Amino acid sequence: MSKSLADYIRHARSQIREIDCDTLEDWLRSRDDVLVVDVRESGAFLEGHLPEAIHVPRGFLEALADPDYGHCHPVLATARDRTVVLYCDSGTRSALAAVTLREMGFTEVYNLSGGINVWDAEDKPVVS
């Protein structure tokens, strides 16, 4: 039996931890070990992103997170022991990305539930 996108997302969400916008906002105010990663495409990132977020498009995640890859992202590739929070528009691509990072050895990975859509709807700060 073939799998649908919904099947992949349901499976991913069963394996990851999600946090809400208020929790992330609190962490950003009170902790210095949180790395926020925007996995959307470049155009979306440039239109607006969460404060302090780095941009790592989902399509390049595995390469950019691998310290052995010659063109890795210098912050993400060295963040295996940091708290990493991923987000996209709605929280689906970032859920899949969270599974990938966990499989790559990242120890504390979270998905922002509802993504930037909910963040924006809750009137949280966005950088453009």
Side-chain angles (χ1 to χ4, degrees):
M1 181 177 180
S2 62
K3 287 186 174 184
S4 68
L5 175 60
D7 293 328
Y8 281 105
I9 294 167
R10 205 173 10 264
H11 179 71
R13 286 207 164 109
S14 73
Q15 296 184 26
I16 63 169
R17 296 178 282 186
E18 294 194 295
I19 61 168
D20 61 28
C21 296
D22 289 337
T23 300
L24 178 55
E25 191 173 45
D26 180 56
W27 285 1
L28 291 174
R29 273 194 309 265
S30 63
R31 298 172 60 177
D32 60 1
D33 66 331
V34 178
L35 176 62
V36 179
V37 181
D38 185 324
V39 298
R40 299 174 301 151
E41 297 302 316
S42 296
F45 181 80
L46 293 173
E47 286 178 15
H49 55 273
L50 275 62
E52 302 178 36
I54 64 168
H55 182 230
V56 179
R58 173 65 192 97
F60 298 100
L61 182 69
E62 294 84 353
L64 295 176
D66 186 346
D68 294 328
Y69 177 63
H71 303 287
C72 66
H73 190 287
V75 177
L76 180 61
T78 59
R80 279 180 165 59
D81 295 323
R82 288 180 66 182
T83 299
V84 177
V85 179
L86 302 162
Y87 75 91
C88 62
D89 285 328
S90 64
T92 55
R93 281 177 291 172
S94 51
L96 297 169
V99 170
T100 298
L101 289 186
R102 287 196 48 206
E103 290 173 350
M104 292 182 76
F106 286 74
T107 57
E108 192 173 352
V109 180
Y110 296 88
N111 184 40
L112 179 61
S113 182
I116 197 168
N117 291 343
V118 172
W119 181 271
D120 194 42
E122 293 185 7
D123 208 26
K124 305 288 187 193
V126 174
V127 177
S128 53

